[in-house]
Amino acid sequence: MIGIAGFASQAWSQDAQNQATQVEEVVVTGSNIRGSALDAALPVEVYSQQALEKQGSPSALEFAKSLTISGPTTGESYYFGGPNLVGSVNYNLRGLGADKTLVLLNGRRMNQNTANVPAIALARTEILKDGAAVIYGADATGGVVNFITRDRFVGLETQAQYKYIDGSKGDYSVGVMAGVGEDRVNLLVSAEYEHRSRLDTLDRDFTKPSLTPGTGYNPAPWSTLTNLTGWQPRGALPAVPTATDVGEWGPALGGIVSDFTPASCAAVGGRYDNNFTCAYNYIPYYRLVENQDTYRLYAQIKAEVTDHMKFHADASYGKVDLPQVMGSPAQPVSRGPALTTGAVNQFYVPITNPFAAEFAAANGITGAQGFTPTTYRLFGHGGNPYYSGGDGFGVADKITNKVWRVSGGITGDFGDLAPFAKAVGYDFNLTYNDAYNFNTHADTIGYRLQEALNGFGGAGCQATDLDPTRFGTQNPGAAGKNGCMWWNPFSSSFKGQPVLDLANPNYIAGHENPEDLSLWMFDPRAVETKSNNFTADLVFNGQSGLKLPGGEVGWALGAQYRTLESRQIVTSPFNNGTVQCEWPRGTTSANGVGSPNLEANPTATNSPNFRGCTPDAPGPFVLFAPTIPAQAEQSQYSLFGELQVPLLSNVDIQLAVRKEEFSNDLGTTVYKVSGKWNVWGPLTLRGSYGTNYQTPPLGVTPGAITVAARTYTVAANNWLAAQFITDADLKPETAKTSNIGAIWQSRGFADDHNFRLIVDYFDIRTEDQIGQVADPNQIASLVFNGAGGRITTCDPAVQPLLRRITFNGACTVGMSGVGTFSAVSTRYGNGPGQTTKGFDIQTSYGLPVGPGNLDVNLTATRVTELKTGPTTLDGVTISTGDDRLGTLNFATFAQAAPKWRANLGVNYGLGRQNFRLGVNFVSAVKDERVGVQYGEDGENWITTDFTYRVELDGDMALTLTAANIFDRDPPPAQEEFGYDPWTGNPIGRTLEIGIKKSF
């Protein structure tokens, strides 16, 4: 892949001061034509490892998040953005999504998870800030990141780094690289290890404004679905249950009886909302950073087979292991095992439960045969002392990501083998990528909780069911005996809030729920995902013989064949669809007078055979849907061609076209034209225009239903379920990208000064963007559209979106969105397109100062437009189009879109010493949600770094870095951690030392 390096201020070295009127030519990203003379025709930023070392050798995550051209990026323990992404760095150029940024290693495709990039062996990283589907195929709408390793390294090099972080044991890394072979064959191998240490949420002050409810607090990490609730006393159970709360659990006796008082609620850190809601703050159970280990191995061989043929092969392996990614003590209940759907009155505690009898006596309740909670969560206040083995009080996910890759090929020219084409070059390469992901995401098994409330909990319980007319084991004489255990759902069951060290005044010693019973309530929901792709590339290139005033026309012709496979393995019968309903197959219940005892099977709610299991086969969990095992494969082939047309000595144009076909009857033709014009001396203009293409993600199944948790504004920001139903008629996503730039390169105010300025205007427009068609939160807000978030109509003819709401009971005009619905469904398919426009600015000024050299560099991106098109769903206008620029975009579960991002670097080189001061800027974003929000107007985020590097005798270098010198907290935002983790950094001031030794 050959082109000419664009300018990156970070890569401007002291050597470049002697090249004030030249663009340095290197082999880079952007073209298939060998020896292309495209001097900066394409907007490519180049980051040399030497330049990054002067910045303190930032980690892969720090590098990705620092790019001004990058959109929101995560890699910390952001559980709410998808826990399986933690620790895996993805690149998100232009904020279009990581799936629209193509990642390469030495010009060849690799996995989006860059864990196997050999940091110690890199020579530079090149970023093409332009759509590149014509050159590389699908997945390059936002641009290309190309990691390029060292060429023919000989020797031994070791390095180590340690970063001090307040409240943490620090981050550290070690690496070693060796190379042999100075003749025709060179072998390079490297090994690296990196560790990140745990950082708890309460170790940072910006998380604490959520802890105490009151004026100006952050309400985001509060849930009204807790284990401190109100209980409805019930009369006798109906002889034959029916699908209402009264029909299943019996008549209500009086009003709701609280399991707490305002004082006892506050004593455990809760927020008293009403007589059935003691809300709890779940964020103390989470962590800002988790323990994380990354391992990398890399090997590369380069050989000159003949004078006209070169061989290259490399193999890379990466593993990211996180033993814990801590979450809430238990998932909220959005549905339960009752015949009625929803979240309220889903569980029943018979008076024979000794803890229910005790609760009744303590509250003077007589005549009750049982209780139902208004809402309930297995663990909340008090944490979960068991699931994570005592190492934390939440439910921890386990994540392991493994990525390996092998690539090899030959390049050269035909030489004497084909005299008629001896000047024709060829490039043949085979690449195989393999990725493995293992993750858990535990949830409560609802029917097991109901069994335990009845006294039949635990793996060893074998009691006989004496009443098949209702779900669950009915055998009062056997309850709580012979391995069967009772669950205590009341406030007497926990000592207090363990993280904040708060005592529970309602606690009764000996009333704790047993560890084995507690663990029996959960399924880890383990999922293994294995994927691989194979790519074969063949490219021919050369000169056409056609000469123009600017030179000879160059050409390239090529073909690519690619296969992709993905397999999702789910062994648990609770999670793989074997248990389709809230109760397992074989569990019977009557439903209505005279109805037979039938199994719980997916059935319409208005069917006489309905047993509480809706047609979407929701599975046994209280929040998540099953993860159905799946296997998918796809093949692709393409033909492409390029022309390099030097019209004049100062005008070059490149034309390219690509025809791409996929095995699922999808295909397209994309094209691109780019060029540059050296107007005069120091001024050069460049530009490009092209089309790009994105296929539906591999494994997307028409009609498939997935369930995730979302926060809903009208539900007091509670996390409830969201269903995504895949369209049957998915089609490719397309995009048009253009770039216009000007490059000024000259001497400065003196002959020994140099000055460079590059300004690029970008315009990217996507169509039929693949993803959620309408945001669940927006759907809920349109249904609950009255004052105070209340229902104004229950007529689906007036509001068709009502059919997409799963209510806890019947829809009633005037009902609030708080506690009245449990889920919202939406479509996954082709949605509105997105337009983003703006400017990239890069400038550098270098001059001698005293005995050394001073360089001042600035890289900035100003986004001037970020809009999505109009959205309709079921004939309802969800949005006329969102202007997302400068906003947090939380209401649409999108990502923050600052208008400005900029990095300023002041570098002074003095012989073997180097001093660098860096200032990083991200402009404020405003919270667009209705009402007054915590941190509503945001803040500009400015951090300052300083790095000192000295080369010592004996080929050793020492680097000292103080990052975020002034210990600036990330800007406040009404999100769970109190800041936006996609943009900000929670670490604070850090001190780092690095040592590098060559032999």
Side-chain angles (χ1 to χ4, degrees), residues 157-175:
E157 185 173 292
T158 60
Q159 62 183 35
Q161 289 178 290
Y162 175 79
K163 179 183 295 183
Y164 169 79
I165 301 171
D166 185 33
S168 161
K169 293 182 180 180
D171 298 351
Y172 45 88
S173 64
V174 293

PDB file of all heavy atoms in Angstrom, residues 157-175:
ATOM      1  N   GLU A 157      16.092  -5.080  22.355  1.00  0.00           N
ATOM      2  CA  GLU A 157      15.581  -3.874  22.986  1.00  0.00           C
ATOM      3  C   GLU A 157      14.583  -4.264  24.064  1.00  0.00           C
ATOM      4  O   GLU A 157      13.725  -5.132  23.861  1.00  0.00           O
ATOM      5  CB  GLU A 157      14.904  -2.984  21.938  1.00  0.00           C
ATOM      6  CG  GLU A 157      14.426  -1.637  22.457  1.00  0.00           C
ATOM      7  CD  GLU A 157      13.934  -0.752  21.332  1.00  0.00           C
ATOM      8  OE1 GLU A 157      14.769  -0.319  20.496  1.00  0.00           O
ATOM      9  OE2 GLU A 157      12.706  -0.522  21.252  1.00  0.00           O
ATOM     10  N   THR A 158      14.707  -3.641  25.216  1.00  0.00           N
ATOM     11  CA  THR A 158      13.775  -3.884  26.315  1.00  0.00           C
ATOM     12  C   THR A 158      13.231  -2.543  26.798  1.00  0.00           C
ATOM     13  O   THR A 158      13.890  -1.503  26.675  1.00  0.00           O
ATOM     14  CB  THR A 158      14.467  -4.603  27.489  1.00  0.00           C
ATOM     15  OG1 THR A 158      15.532  -3.777  27.969  1.00  0.00           O
ATOM     16  CG2 THR A 158      15.012  -5.947  27.059  1.00  0.00           C
ATOM     17  N   GLN A 159      12.024  -2.596  27.351  1.00  0.00           N
ATOM     18  CA  GLN A 159      11.474  -1.376  27.907  1.00  0.00           C
ATOM     19  C   GLN A 159      10.519  -1.725  29.040  1.00  0.00           C
ATOM     20  O   GLN A 159       9.954  -2.819  29.092  1.00  0.00           O
ATOM     21  CB  GLN A 159      10.757  -0.558  26.832  1.00  0.00           C
ATOM     22  CG  GLN A 159       9.564  -1.244  26.196  1.00  0.00           C
ATOM     23  CD  GLN A 159       8.948  -0.398  25.083  1.00  0.00           C
ATOM     24  OE1 GLN A 159       9.663   0.301  24.353  1.00  0.00           O
ATOM     25  NE2 GLN A 159       7.646  -0.451  24.955  1.00  0.00           N
ATOM     26  N   ALA A 160      10.346  -0.784  29.948  1.00  0.00           N
ATOM     27  CA  ALA A 160       9.440  -0.967  31.080  1.00  0.00           C
ATOM     28  C   ALA A 160       8.892   0.390  31.475  1.00  0.00           C
ATOM     29  O   ALA A 160       9.560   1.422  31.345  1.00  0.00           O
ATOM     30  CB  ALA A 160      10.175  -1.616  32.252  1.00  0.00           C
ATOM     31  N   GLN A 161       7.648   0.377  31.961  1.00  0.00           N
ATOM     32  CA  GLN A 161       7.007   1.608  32.396  1.00  0.00           C
ATOM     33  C   GLN A 161       6.204   1.335  33.663  1.00  0.00           C
ATOM     34  O   GLN A 161       5.651   0.249  33.837  1.00  0.00           O
ATOM     35  CB  GLN A 161       6.059   2.154  31.317  1.00  0.00           C
ATOM     36  CG  GLN A 161       6.764   2.732  30.096  1.00  0.00           C
ATOM     37  CD  GLN A 161       5.768   3.204  29.048  1.00  0.00           C
ATOM     38  OE1 GLN A 161       5.108   2.387  28.414  1.00  0.00           O
ATOM     39  NE2 GLN A 161       5.657   4.497  28.876  1.00  0.00           N
ATOM     40  N   TYR A 162       6.138   2.357  34.518  1.00  0.00           N
ATOM     41  CA  TYR A 162       5.269   2.290  35.695  1.00  0.00           C
ATOM     42  C   TYR A 162       4.571   3.634  35.831  1.00  0.00           C
ATOM     43  O   TYR A 162       5.208   4.701  35.755  1.00  0.00           O
ATOM     44  CB  TYR A 162       6.036   1.985  36.969  1.00  0.00           C
ATOM     45  CG  TYR A 162       5.132   2.050  38.188  1.00  0.00           C
ATOM     46  CD1 TYR A 162       4.280   0.992  38.491  1.00  0.00           C
ATOM     47  CD2 TYR A 162       5.096   3.197  38.997  1.00  0.00           C
ATOM     48  CE1 TYR A 162       3.415   1.056  39.588  1.00  0.00           C
ATOM     49  CE2 TYR A 162       4.246   3.266  40.082  1.00  0.00           C
ATOM     50  CZ  TYR A 162       3.403   2.199  40.376  1.00  0.00           C
ATOM     51  OH  TYR A 162       2.547   2.271  41.437  1.00  0.00           O
ATOM     52  N   LYS A 163       3.253   3.583  36.053  1.00  0.00           N
ATOM     53  CA  LYS A 163       2.453   4.797  36.189  1.00  0.00           C
ATOM     54  C   LYS A 163       1.824   4.810  37.576  1.00  0.00           C
ATOM     55  O   LYS A 163       1.070   3.903  37.944  1.00  0.00           O
ATOM     56  CB  LYS A 163       1.369   4.846  35.118  1.00  0.00           C
ATOM     57  CG  LYS A 163       0.473   6.080  35.192  1.00  0.00           C
ATOM     58  CD  LYS A 163      -0.631   6.023  34.140  1.00  0.00           C
ATOM     59  CE  LYS A 163      -0.041   6.073  32.743  1.00  0.00           C
ATOM     60  NZ  LYS A 163      -1.113   6.080  31.721  1.00  0.00           N
ATOM     61  N   TYR A 164       2.158   5.841  38.333  1.00  0.00           N
ATOM     62  CA  TYR A 164       1.565   6.005  39.660  1.00  0.00           C
ATOM     63  C   TYR A 164       0.197   6.657  39.521  1.00  0.00           C
ATOM     64  O   TYR A 164       0.052   7.703  38.885  1.00  0.00           O
ATOM     65  CB  TYR A 164       2.455   6.864  40.555  1.00  0.00           C
ATOM     66  CG  TYR A 164       1.764   7.282  41.833  1.00  0.00           C
ATOM     67  CD1 TYR A 164       1.648   6.396  42.897  1.00  0.00           C
ATOM     68  CD2 TYR A 164       1.200   8.549  41.950  1.00  0.00           C
ATOM     69  CE1 TYR A 164       0.995   6.768  44.072  1.00  0.00           C
ATOM     70  CE2 TYR A 164       0.547   8.934  43.122  1.00  0.00           C
ATOM     71  CZ  TYR A 164       0.443   8.039  44.169  1.00  0.00           C
ATOM     72  OH  TYR A 164      -0.214   8.400  45.308  1.00  0.00           O
ATOM     73  N   ILE A 165      -0.828   6.045  40.141  1.00  0.00           N
ATOM     74  CA  ILE A 165      -2.195   6.555  40.123  1.00  0.00           C
ATOM     75  C   ILE A 165      -2.699   6.575  41.549  1.00  0.00           C
ATOM     76  O   ILE A 165      -2.706   5.539  42.233  1.00  0.00           O
ATOM     77  CB  ILE A 165      -3.105   5.675  39.246  1.00  0.00           C
ATOM     78  CG1 ILE A 165      -2.583   5.629  37.802  1.00  0.00           C
ATOM     79  CG2 ILE A 165      -4.543   6.185  39.267  1.00  0.00           C
ATOM     80  CD1 ILE A 165      -3.296   4.619  36.927  1.00  0.00           C
ATOM     81  N   ASP A 166      -3.128   7.712  42.012  1.00  0.00           N
ATOM     82  CA  ASP A 166      -3.623   7.834  43.376  1.00  0.00           C
ATOM     83  C   ASP A 166      -4.851   6.951  43.572  1.00  0.00           C
ATOM     84  O   ASP A 166      -5.791   6.976  42.775  1.00  0.00           O
ATOM     85  CB  ASP A 166      -3.990   9.297  43.655  1.00  0.00           C
ATOM     86  CG  ASP A 166      -4.410   9.515  45.099  1.00  0.00           C
ATOM     87  OD1 ASP A 166      -3.880   8.826  45.986  1.00  0.00           O
ATOM     88  OD2 ASP A 166      -5.301  10.364  45.328  1.00  0.00           O
ATOM     89  N   GLY A 167      -4.848   6.157  44.638  1.00  0.00           N
ATOM     90  CA  GLY A 167      -5.959   5.257  44.926  1.00  0.00           C
ATOM     91  C   GLY A 167      -5.865   3.920  44.250  1.00  0.00           C
ATOM     92  O   GLY A 167      -6.739   3.068  44.422  1.00  0.00           O
ATOM     93  N   SER A 168      -4.822   3.713  43.471  1.00  0.00           N
ATOM     94  CA  SER A 168      -4.649   2.477  42.716  1.00  0.00           C
ATOM     95  C   SER A 168      -3.236   1.955  42.948  1.00  0.00           C
ATOM     96  O   SER A 168      -2.355   2.677  43.420  1.00  0.00           O
ATOM     97  CB  SER A 168      -4.894   2.759  41.231  1.00  0.00           C
ATOM     98  OG  SER A 168      -4.335   1.764  40.408  1.00  0.00           O
ATOM     99  N   LYS A 169      -3.022   0.692  42.615  1.00  0.00           N
ATOM    100  CA  LYS A 169      -1.677   0.131  42.687  1.00  0.00           C
ATOM    101  C   LYS A 169      -0.845   0.493  41.467  1.00  0.00           C
ATOM    102  O   LYS A 169       0.313   0.086  41.360  1.00  0.00           O
ATOM    103  CB  LYS A 169      -1.755  -1.389  42.834  1.00  0.00           C
ATOM    104  CG  LYS A 169      -2.356  -1.842  44.160  1.00  0.00           C
ATOM    105  CD  LYS A 169      -2.371  -3.359  44.282  1.00  0.00           C
ATOM    106  CE  LYS A 169      -2.965  -3.793  45.614  1.00  0.00           C
ATOM    107  NZ  LYS A 169      -3.006  -5.278  45.763  1.00  0.00           N
ATOM    108  N   GLY A 170      -1.455   1.247  40.547  1.00  0.00           N
ATOM    109  CA  GLY A 170      -0.705   1.723  39.397  1.00  0.00           C
ATOM    110  C   GLY A 170      -0.791   0.795  38.203  1.00  0.00           C
ATOM    111  O   GLY A 170      -1.190  -0.368  38.298  1.00  0.00           O
ATOM    112  N   ASP A 171      -0.411   1.336  37.061  1.00  0.00           N
ATOM    113  CA  ASP A 171      -0.350   0.578  35.811  1.00  0.00           C
ATOM    114  C   ASP A 171       1.112   0.379  35.441  1.00  0.00           C
ATOM    115  O   ASP A 171       1.950   1.270  35.642  1.00  0.00           O
ATOM    116  CB  ASP A 171      -1.057   1.324  34.682  1.00  0.00           C
ATOM    117  CG  ASP A 171      -2.542   1.530  34.947  1.00  0.00           C
ATOM    118  OD1 ASP A 171      -3.053   0.952  35.917  1.00  0.00           O
ATOM    119  OD2 ASP A 171      -3.176   2.282  34.188  1.00  0.00           O
ATOM    120  N   TYR A 172       1.414  -0.786  34.857  1.00  0.00           N
ATOM    121  CA  TYR A 172       2.797  -1.026  34.484  1.00  0.00           C
ATOM    122  C   TYR A 172       2.856  -1.963  33.275  1.00  0.00           C
ATOM    123  O   TYR A 172       1.889  -2.673  32.966  1.00  0.00           O
ATOM    124  CB  TYR A 172       3.608  -1.607  35.650  1.00  0.00           C
ATOM    125  CG  TYR A 172       2.922  -2.714  36.402  1.00  0.00           C
ATOM    126  CD1 TYR A 172       3.032  -4.050  36.016  1.00  0.00           C
ATOM    127  CD2 TYR A 172       2.171  -2.433  37.544  1.00  0.00           C
ATOM    128  CE1 TYR A 172       2.414  -5.071  36.727  1.00  0.00           C
ATOM    129  CE2 TYR A 172       1.551  -3.445  38.262  1.00  0.00           C
ATOM    130  CZ  TYR A 172       1.673  -4.759  37.845  1.00  0.00           C
ATOM    131  OH  TYR A 172       1.062  -5.771  38.549  1.00  0.00           O
ATOM    132  N   SER A 173       3.998  -1.926  32.615  1.00  0.00           N
ATOM    133  CA  SER A 173       4.180  -2.753  31.425  1.00  0.00           C
ATOM    134  C   SER A 173       5.653  -3.069  31.238  1.00  0.00           C
ATOM    135  O   SER A 173       6.535  -2.327  31.696  1.00  0.00           O
ATOM    136  CB  SER A 173       3.650  -2.039  30.177  1.00  0.00           C
ATOM    137  OG  SER A 173       4.390  -0.868  29.904  1.00  0.00           O
ATOM    138  N   VAL A 174       5.916  -4.194  30.585  1.00  0.00           N
ATOM    139  CA  VAL A 174       7.272  -4.578  30.199  1.00  0.00           C
ATOM    140  C   VAL A 174       7.208  -5.136  28.785  1.00  0.00           C
ATOM    141  O   VAL A 174       6.177  -5.669  28.361  1.00  0.00           O
ATOM    142  CB  VAL A 174       7.884  -5.629  31.152  1.00  0.00           C
ATOM    143  CG1 VAL A 174       8.103  -5.044  32.526  1.00  0.00           C
ATOM    144  CG2 VAL A 174       6.993  -6.861  31.226  1.00  0.00           C
ATOM    145  N   GLY A 175       8.309  -4.993  28.059  1.00  0.00           N
ATOM    146  CA  GLY A 175       8.365  -5.519  26.707  1.00  0.00           C
ATOM    147  C   GLY A 175       9.786  -5.810  26.298  1.00  0.00           C
ATOM    148  O   GLY A 175      10.732  -5.197  26.798  1.00  0.00           O
TER     149      GLY A 175
END
